[in-house]
Amino acid sequence: MCARLDPHIEPPASRRPGRVGDICVLFAPSRPIIPAVRDRLERLRSEFGGRIVDPLHLTLERTDGEDADGLTAAVREYGARAGPLAVRGEKLFVTRSPYRGSDVLKLHVTGSEPLRRQIDGLRSTIQKAGLRSLYGDERATSVSVLEQIERDGPLEGWPFPLELFVADELIVSRILGASRYDILERIAVP
């Protein structure tokens, strides 16, 4: 249907796709998306169909969900020393999301030292708590912007980079099914 995952942009993020029961740690904005970004998302939706992902977020980590309390405690601990992070998208691509049961339009996130520190800091905290990450050590980052896309659209020609949001909230979320989640905790980042 649509252009597929480019392995040079987004290598597989884990040993297996997300599935029911997994718990993710999301980095999201606590405030509404600014109008210019909302307008761009609406233009993308008009080209590709589907639904705008809400809330927009960067998934920092995913675990098998066996120790929700331990993960939540580790994220709380990390959140107390984390800082806000500007998230900027630089290139569109489409990939299949098995647990969503559809194709997803994503934006590759511009790499930066602050982003690397956030990912490394959270991963280290989770490992010290004795929890196992489902993400590999090397992984590209992206933000899903549309889910259940319905048609081909142009992946090139959009003005980038795009300042998507400032992430200032960590969300611990369990996958319940296709586009269904249980928010276990929200942690404000100082």
Side-chain angles (χ1 to χ4, degrees), residues 37-53:
V37 172
R38 178 62 59 191
D39 290 347
R40 177 82 61 91
L41 295 174
E42 288 295 342
R43 287 191 7 239
L44 288 168
R45 190 184 58 71
S46 73
E47 289 286 341
F48 291 89
R51 290 191 313 242
I52 296 172
V53 173

Side-chain angles (χ1 to χ4, degrees), residues 140-178:
T141 51
S142 63
V143 172
S144 297
V145 293
L146 296 175
E147 58 188 353
Q148 298 182 352
I149 62 173
E150 301 159 343
R151 57 189 170 270
D152 288 332
L155 296 174
E156 303 295 326
W158 297 90
F160 290 111
L162 174 63
E163 300 288 337
L164 290 168
F165 54 84
V166 173
D168 61 354
E169 180 177 55
L170 291 161
I171 300 172
V172 182
S173 173
R174 184 185 303 273
I175 299 172
L176 297 178

Side-chain angles (χ1 to χ4, degrees), residues 27-28 31 81-87 114-115 118 165-169 189-190:
F27 211 10
R31 296 170 205 70
R81 64 180 187 277
L85 177 72
V87 177
L115 174 59
Q118 295 283 8
F165 54 84
V166 173
D168 61 354
E169 180 177 55
V189 171

Side-chain angles (χ1 to χ4, degrees), residues 104-118:
V104 177
L105 182 68
K106 293 185 168 218
L107 259 173
H108 176 71
V109 171
T110 305
S112 68
E113 185 60 24
L115 174 59
R116 187 196 59 73
R117 281 194 309 266
Q118 295 283 8

Side-chain angles (χ1 to χ4, degrees), residues 65-139:
E66 290 182 16
D67 186 1
D69 293 338
L71 177 61
T72 301
V75 174
R76 256 189 245 116
E77 176 189 327
Y78 175 71
R81 64 180 187 277
L85 177 72
V87 177
R88 177 184 298 122
E90 64 183 5
K91 184 173 174 119
L92 291 169
F93 65 97
V94 175
T95 189
R96 184 83 182 149
S97 176
Y99 75 87
R100 284 183 173 129
S102 67
D103 286 338
V104 177
L105 182 68
K106 293 185 168 218
L107 259 173
H108 176 71
V109 171
T110 305
S112 68
E113 185 60 24
L115 174 59
R116 187 196 59 73
R117 281 194 309 266
Q118 295 283 8
I119 292 170
D120 290 349
L122 178 63
R123 183 168 293 146
S124 174
T125 303
I126 288 171
Q127 289 171 346
K128 285 178 187 170
L131 301 167
R132 186 174 64 90
S133 169
L134 292 178
Y135 285 151
D137 289 336
E138 300 293 324
R139 102 175 175 90

